[in-house]
Amino acid sequence: QVQLSESGGGSVQAGGSLRLSCVLSGYAISSPLCWAWFRQVPGQDRQGIARISTDGTINYADSVKGRFAISHDNAKNTLYLQMNNLKPEDTAMYYCAADPNNMGLGVGGPWIRYWGQGTQVTVSS
């Protein structure tokens, strides 16, 4: 069974940093995956913020560009999101996602193959 397990969320003050991790287990296919981070505020859609496409191309949503960095360690099968200069508006539940097909950076939903359980990030002013 394929599982994505996230960690690293927490509470920080504005201007602080956090690093989220997401470990993939149970995936036995050698083809590259598209990896992404999404976030969701209660009452709103889940929105993509960073993505590594199957060819390794990295894209960011404008809201996080220059502050967040996505990376993937193939040897550890782990996805990371380094978040710097955090702002109160970054407060959300953060989800990692993976799919054999490239994901867009728009709304995320059940059409995406694998989701993590989510980790809460809270940024206070």
Side-chain angles (χ1 to χ4, degrees), residues 90-115:
D90 295 318
T91 296
M93 185 71 78
Y94 283 70
Y95 298 88
C96 65
D99 196 289
N101 299 307
N102 283 325
M103 295 175 274
L105 278 183
V107 174
W111 53 87
I112 291 174
R113 186 76 61 88
Y114 307 117
W115 286 102

Side-chain angles (χ1 to χ4, degrees), residues 13-18 66-68 83-87 90 123:
Q13 290 191 326
S17 297
L18 285 172
R67 300 187 298 122
F68 291 11
M83 304 185 293
N84 299 324
N85 190 22
L86 282 160
K87 303 176 181 180
D90 295 318
V123 185

